[in-house]
Amino acid sequence: MLGRRFSRRVISATNLGKRFGAKRIFDRLELRLGRGDFLLVTGPNGSGKTTLLRVLAGLDAPSRGELSLPDRATIGYLGHEPLVYRELTPLENLRLFASLYAIGEREQRIGVLLERFDLWRVRDERVSTFSRGMRQRLGLCRVVLHDPKLLILDEPFNALDEAGATLLDATLGEFAASSAIVVATHDPERVEALATTRMALR
Amino acid sequence: MRYASAVVALARKDLLLELRAKETVPAMLLFVLAALTVFHFAVPTGTSQTAALGLLWVAIIFTALLGLTRAFVPEREQGLLDALLLAPCDRSAIWLAKAFSVFAFLVIAELLALPAFSLFFAGVGWATVAAALLADIGISAVGTLVGAMAVAGRARELLLPLLFLPLAIPIVVGGVGASSGTHGHYLAFLVLYDAVFCLLSWAAFEYVVSET
């Protein structure tokens, strides 16, 4: 059984399993995460980290077990791709997602995030002209735009330079108190101090 | 209100993407023009008006198919369908917005196709124009739904025509009938097709894109 805080529960998984055909990705997983919990998922390539995160985000269905997740409106998910439109600008991307999440005072919120992730200066440039690291920063802006209570990040430090990684450290530190966070990474030392629960997949 | 706002934001995004990338509409325009030109030289002089109208509808359906293959490309290539599915808006808003953009691209293609048909074959009447607009609604509704089905599959390039073309047969029947025969009955048939398939597609989209 993983996870400590049962009050203010965000994720509850019982006997959770996922298979692709005959291949078992993970099985009999028990997990309870509440606000303030930080689950660090590690494991080699192909161990099922991404699949687990997609299941916990509600994007893939588990093959067995019970899974209780919060409302979609409160989940922030960053996959291997930053999930932003390359032919749109950062402002256009964030305005689109702000509309979908019905965020109030959206221009102010978007401005604050773009400033914070050092993208304000390129707010009107197409994302296709950005480096991978800049796209990742924009992906992080999208993820935290609606102030999620469940943050699921798959290799979030990928492509980030040291300044970007430091910004992400600070953001995770801020969300750690009020949200449940699930991070899969090959660089566990980076978030070891924040982790309250660890899961090693094989 | 929130639903309408999501539809407007998503449709605006699709139109903006096409305006920037210019990938779908120019291809549709070139295809429909090329198809009608080929038909012009392929069929013998003196071909009946009904046969010529049949060729117009074949060109429209295959032009639509070309547009539909591109409809979910940004979402597929960049994994963006995940981000849209996680948004708290009703998932049918994604279908409605995408269907609207497909409809807009089809109308633009027909703005070239109908005058080109008049030039190569014979003039088109108001009934053909009305039938084309009604057909565009049905094509957009059904095509967007099967486009979303195909995008999740591995053999998507094969899956889309295999799913779409059988469903488009009633549109061809209604279109050719409205253009050449008893307008009222066939136009009513197209209205009925639109109503049924818009409702079915709107209701089914959630299940098509959801695994959970």
Side-chain angles (χ1 to χ4, degrees):
Chain A
M1 174 90 64
L2 292 168
R4 299 174 306 159
R5 300 173 194 189
F6 290 81
S7 60
R8 300 189 297 168
R9 186 175 291 170
V10 177
I11 294 179
S12 172
T14 306
N15 199 24
L16 200 67
K18 179 71 180 177
R19 285 175 175 271
F20 288 124
K23 188 181 178 187
R24 191 188 69 182
I25 308 298
F26 54 85
D27 204 10
R28 296 179 185 174
L29 185 71
E30 302 285 330
L31 180 64
R32 308 280 185 274
L33 285 182
R35 290 190 181 206
D37 281 334
F38 190 117
L39 171 63
L40 172 59
V41 183
T42 56
N45 290 336
S47 58
K49 298 190 297 296
T50 296
T51 304
L52 173 64
L53 265 57
R54 288 182 61 83
V55 169
L56 294 181
L59 288 167
D60 287 345
S63 306
R64 62 178 288 183
E66 289 178 16
L67 176 64
S68 165
L69 293 174
D71 187 79
R72 296 208 301 267
T74 62
I75 298 175
Y77 171 78
L78 182 73
H80 281 285
E81 291 290 328
L83 307 185
V84 288
Y85 286 94
R86 293 187 184 176
E87 290 305 320
L88 300 184
T89 67
L91 268 180
E92 289 163 348
N93 266 293
L94 295 182
R95 280 176 182 153
L96 167 66
F97 286 101
S99 292
L100 299 182
Y101 282 87
I103 293 170
E105 297 180 1
R106 63 189 61 172
E107 292 301 317
Q108 190 186 347
R109 174 80 179 147
I110 290 168
V112 167
L113 283 173
L114 288 177
E115 284 278 10
R116 178 182 188 128
F117 283 89
D118 195 24
L119 292 170
W120 180 253
R121 63 197 159 82
V122 290
R123 63 190 178 280
D124 291 320
E125 293 179 22
R126 289 189 203 181
V127 175
S128 56
T129 65
F130 287 8
S131 69
R132 177 76 176 85
M134 289 165 79
R135 288 204 299 272
Q136 186 77 344
R137 287 183 189 216
L138 182 58
L140 290 165
C141 289
R142 176 190 60 74
V143 168
V144 299
L145 180 67
H146 55 291
D147 204 11
K149 74 174 182 183
L150 172 60
L151 208 51
I152 297 176
L153 309 174
D154 195 356
E155 301 290 355
F157 292 98
N158 268 3
L160 289 180
D161 57 12
E162 190 49 40
T166 305
L167 274 170
L168 178 55
D169 287 338
T171 305
L172 288 175
E174 281 173 26
F175 274 86
S178 58
S179 304
I181 301 178
V182 181
V183 171
T185 178
H186 286 297
D187 185 15
E189 291 79 20
R190 185 106 215 171
V191 289
E192 186 65 45
L194 290 170
T196 59
T197 309
R198 291 157 190 81
M199 183 189 293
L201 298 176
R202 285 168 288 165
Chain B
M1 190 61 198
R2 185 170 167 172
Y3 186 85
S5 154
V7 172
V8 169
L10 287 164
R12 183 177 178 278
K13 172 265 300 176
D14 283 327
L15 298 176
L16 204 54
L17 285 175
E18 178 55 25
L19 208 61
R20 300 258 167 90
K22 295 183 182 66
E23 287 178 345
T24 304
V25 173
M28 290 170 76
L29 292 174
L30 279 173
F31 179 84
V32 78
L33 193 59
L36 288 171
T37 308
V38 168
F39 292 155
H40 172 64
F41 290 109
V43 298
T45 313
T47 301
S48 76
Q49 168 84 353
T50 310
L53 283 166
L55 294 177
L56 171 68
W57 284 94
V58 168
I60 288 174
I61 291 294
F62 281 95
T63 303
L65 191 56
L66 184 66
L68 288 168
T69 56
R70 303 284 313 166
F72 282 96
V73 164
E75 283 77 16
R76 187 186 73 214
E77 287 182 348
Q78 296 158 45
L80 271 148
L81 201 55
D82 285 345
L84 299 184
L85 295 180
L86 275 174
C89 62
D90 192 305
R91 285 170 176 168
S92 66
I94 302 170
W95 166 81
L96 188 55
K98 194 65 85 178
F100 176 78
S101 62
V102 169
F103 176 81
F105 300 161
L106 269 172
V107 168
I108 292 169
E110 281 159 6
L111 286 175
L112 177 68
L114 295 179
F117 180 82
S118 300
L119 187 69
F120 290 143
F121 295 97
V124 292
W126 67 268
T128 304
V129 175
L133 284 172
L134 288 171
D136 290 349
I137 294 171
I139 290 170
S140 309
V142 172
T144 303
L145 181 73
V146 296
M149 281 181 195
V151 83
R154 266 175 253 170
R156 58 184 71 93
E157 292 81 6
L158 293 173
L159 202 56
L160 180 60
L162 288 177
L163 291 171
F164 173 71
L165 289 176
L167 290 168
I169 291 170
I171 294 175
V172 176
V173 172
V176 173
S179 306
S180 59
T182 42
H183 308 152
H185 289 104
Y186 284 104
L187 288 175
F189 174 72
L190 285 172
V191 169
L192 184 66
Y193 180 95
D194 290 352
V196 170
F197 279 94
C198 281
L199 195 62
L200 280 178
S201 303
W202 175 78
F205 189 78
E206 164 94 29
Y207 300 100
V208 165
V209 294
S210 304
E211 197 199 326
T212 53

